[in-house]
Amino acid sequence: MARDERGVTPQSENFSDWYNEVVFKAELVDRGPVRGTMVIRPYGYRIWELLQADMDRRIKETGHVNAYFPLLIPESYLQREAEHVEGFAPELAVVTHAGGKQLEEPLIVRPTSETVIGEMMSKWISSYRDLPMLLNQWANVVRWELRPRMLLRTTEFLWQEGHTAHADEDDAMRETMLALDLYARVAREVAAMPVVAGEKTPGERFPGARRTYTVEGMMRDGRALQSGTSHYMGTNFAEAFGIQYAAESGELEYCHTSSWGMSSRMVGGVIMTHGDDKGLVLPPALAPYQVVIVPIGRGDQAAEVIPPALELADRLRQTGVRTHVDDREHLSPGFKFNDWEMRGVPVRLELGPRDLAAGSVLMSTRLGQGKTPVSLGEAPSRVGPELTAFQDLLLRRATEFRDSHTAVVDTWEDFAEAVKTGWALAFHCGRQDCEDDIKAATSATPRCIPADGPPEHGLCVRCGLPSAYGKRLVFGRAY
Ligand SMILES: [Zn+2]
């Protein structure tokens, strides 16, 4: 689609079309030559870099260290953990030829790195003094995708994967919950996504995990987006890869391991949590440009306003604000306004000859009405608080949206109605065939058993058997 075709399909008309148009028109991504692959363009990649930098800082602050493991994994490694290989088999890309001949053992392009990291941990861990081992990797992974969707489901995507080994279950579970909390904080504090954190039901567990936890965000079409997961593996991978340590008693014990990941699909989550009919709406913490200055005027007038615009940009940058001056000569101010609205820039400053004469700029925000004159001298001290307020507004707005699209339901009729437009909080019996039945009837699945839901007992919203989880589950249709 050409950039100069203005506007996008309204969300209310067709959310899916809206999304597909926005990701291209805002120049976040392009299609890769291989079906299901994605090019992340500079504007989209900057959003990911900002998220990545924040997460990386938090990951390191909690005692983890980064390492890098190979992209190619021997096929036999995956086969060592039966549930793991079964879960990933349909999505694997396998290298059978290299160096001009058939390989003796096929190689898997990593879909995740539990196996190769497990193998290395078995070499690096020998005593209780080596524990806990707290590793993280930033990498790309490949999971063959038959129904691709830019940033949400692509054959190759970017992520971090934490992999840790511990002496016992208590320590590994503490780690699993620490990672979950880290994701919830990043989602809320950086992406302004009010996620719900909780445990997955057995049917939704990661292949090979004993327990899987998730943070789930609500998108503006009412669907859920799994935005980060944390898994307690028990000793499954330790047994498969021989990750053992000598305890203080001298006894040889298996480690308890965890793994956890958050990916570039978070960028898709930000788009669908905050965007509107004009395009993207970016939280300042993730905006490549937090402020765009548009100088108004052509020819001599441009020559007059551009230098003070550049000077203002410098002063804003000195206060840590990511600022861009749009001095493209061949485009009208109206075009530029629409363009930066499409691309979700939080704050816009206009500077024309009359503003300059009055010693001021006109400030507007991506969701605000009207423009406010701000004196040129005060602009740097005014913009910081404006960005903070905008970040808070997005979280508040998304929280209100989520809460007004979440219903506590006890009857099947109310359940079916609620999951058409949002989430249902309902009791469930815990039986897999009942989960499957609900999915077949409504497309909704249990998103999580919320960590902070109040303890409650009742009857399964579908089959009437007693609830299995001691609280209501979040159900919704999901990406
Ligand atoms: Zn049931």
Side-chain angles (χ1 to χ4, degrees):
M1 197 166 307
R3 247 310 268 307
D4 50 323
E5 275 178 54
R6 308 309 304 164
V8 285
T9 301
Q11 288 185 338
S12 56
E13 209 170 279
N14 188 324
F15 194 85
S16 172
D17 285 354
W18 171 85
Y19 180 83
N20 288 328
E21 293 167 22
V22 162
V23 292
F24 293 110
K25 286 197 173 183
E27 297 185 356
L28 299 177
V29 296
D30 214 331
R31 289 191 183 83
V34 174
R35 185 180 145 75
T37 62
M38 158 180 76
V39 176
I40 308 178
R41 300 185 65 176
Y43 197 68
Y45 196 75
R46 186 74 184 115
I47 299 173
W48 169 243
E49 279 185 325
L50 289 162
L51 182 72
Q52 183 192 34
D54 190 277
M55 269 209 284
D56 193 59
R57 178 180 57 76
R58 294 177 196 242
I59 287 169
K60 286 172 177 153
E61 277 173 5
T62 43
H64 305 86
V65 286
N66 285 339
Y68 187 79
F69 296 85
L71 170 76
L72 298 172
I73 300 175
E75 190 180 46
S76 57
Y77 277 31
L78 267 87
Q79 284 159 352
R80 283 194 227 165
E81 217 292 336
E83 283 179 32
H84 192 64
V85 69
E86 193 191 326
F88 279 106
E91 305 177 341
L92 296 179
V94 184
V95 180
T96 57
H97 288 74
K101 56 182 184 182
Q102 185 163 358
L103 296 170
E104 278 176 33
E105 179 179 359
L107 305 174
I108 308 294
V109 182
R110 68 176 160 228
T112 176
S113 303
E114 274 78 7
T115 59
V116 63
I117 294 179
E119 175 73 10
M120 290 300 128
M121 282 178 164
S122 76
K123 280 175 69 175
W124 297 341
I125 295 169
S126 53
S127 126
Y128 68 94
R129 292 184 199 88
D130 301 323
L131 298 175
M133 183 167 281
L134 307 175
L135 301 176
N136 179 63
Q137 162 167 266
W138 288 99
N140 57 339
V141 286
V142 167
R143 298 178 185 177
W144 214 255
E145 190 51 71
L146 300 176
R147 294 176 303 131
R149 221 175 141 106
M150 290 292 115
L151 291 164
L152 299 175
R153 267 198 323 262
T154 48
T155 284
E156 180 185 358
F157 59 89
L158 304 177
W159 78 346
Q160 60 68 222
E161 44 181 324
H163 294 273
T164 67
H166 306 262
D168 56 31
E169 175 169 357
D170 281 356
D171 204 47
M173 272 304 297
R174 236 190 327 273
E175 169 73 18
T176 307
M177 301 316 285
L178 181 142
L180 185 72
D181 185 56
L182 188 147
Y183 292 153
R185 283 166 189 270
V186 166
R188 290 185 194 128
E189 294 167 15
V190 182
M193 288 168 61
V195 291
V196 172
E199 185 170 3
K200 286 285 189 193
T201 57
E204 302 266 322
R205 261 179 213 148
F206 179 80
R210 288 265 306 279
R211 306 182 79 165
T212 285
Y213 295 82
T214 179
V215 292
E216 301 277 327
M218 184 189 279
M219 307 296 103
R220 288 180 71 81
D221 61 351
R223 286 180 187 254
L225 184 77
Q226 180 177 299
S227 304
T229 51
S230 184
H231 318 285
Y232 166 59
M233 303 299 192
T235 56
N236 289 351
F237 283 87
E239 288 175 42
F241 290 90
I243 313 171
Q244 287 179 293
Y245 71 98
E248 274 182 86
S249 62
E251 202 98 346
L252 210 53
E253 308 261 12
Y254 282 113
C255 290
H256 292 247
T257 64
S258 88
S259 80
W260 30 278
M262 188 178 252
S263 76
S264 46
R265 94 187 311 225
M266 271 295 278
V267 178
V270 167
I271 299 166
M272 293 195 295
T273 301
H274 303 300
D276 64 14
D277 288 349
K278 291 178 184 168
L280 294 183
V281 177
L282 293 176
L286 293 178
Y289 305 131
Q290 295 167 313
V291 173
V292 165
I293 303 174
V294 181
I296 315 275
R298 292 176 186 237
D300 287 351
Q301 287 186 325
E304 189 190 336
V305 292
I306 285 175
L310 293 171
E311 191 261 343
L312 174 59
D314 270 345
R315 285 195 291 130
L316 285 166
R317 290 188 193 111
Q318 278 163 24
T319 65
V321 175
R322 292 186 290 277
T323 309
H324 176 69
V325 179
D326 186 354
D327 56 2
R328 292 176 289 180
E329 271 181 36
H330 58 295
L331 298 173
S332 70
F335 181 96
K336 292 179 183 178
F337 296 167
N338 290 338
D339 196 31
W340 295 115
E341 277 184 339
M342 173 69 69
R343 302 179 82 181
V345 170
V347 170
R348 187 177 78 215
L349 300 175
E350 298 167 35
L351 183 61
R354 262 181 299 171
D355 306 308
L356 189 60
S360 62
V361 282
L362 285 178
M363 180 164 72
S364 52
T365 69
R366 176 59 178 77
L367 293 173
Q369 309 284 331
K371 306 170 182 183
T372 314
V374 172
S375 86
L376 274 167
E378 282 174 10
S381 60
R382 287 285 300 276
V383 162
E386 199 66 40
L387 292 171
T388 306
F390 193 79
Q391 180 87 23
D392 294 346
L393 168 68
L394 291 195
L395 181 61
R396 202 163 59 239
R397 185 170 161 264
T399 306
E400 282 165 9
F401 182 87
R402 182 198 67 191
D403 292 348
S404 65
H405 289 77
T406 302
V408 176
V409 300
D410 288 309
T411 68
W412 176 245
E413 291 69 33
D414 290 348
F415 179 96
E417 200 53 38
V419 296
K420 279 182 193 165
T421 54
W423 293 352
L425 291 171
F427 294 114
H428 192 258
C429 62
R431 292 183 304 125
Q432 188 59 48
D433 59 348
C434 184
E435 267 188 38
D436 295 345
D437 179 44
I438 290 175
K439 186 175 184 183
T442 63
S443 304
T445 49
R447 303 316 307 154
C448 70
I449 310 154
D452 56 2
E456 259 185 289
H457 288 279
L459 302 178
C460 175
V461 73
R462 181 59 170 164
C463 72
L465 288 173
S467 75
Y469 302 104
K471 53 174 72 172
R472 291 174 187 272
L473 272 56
V474 176
F475 279 87
R477 296 171 304 150
Y479 279 95

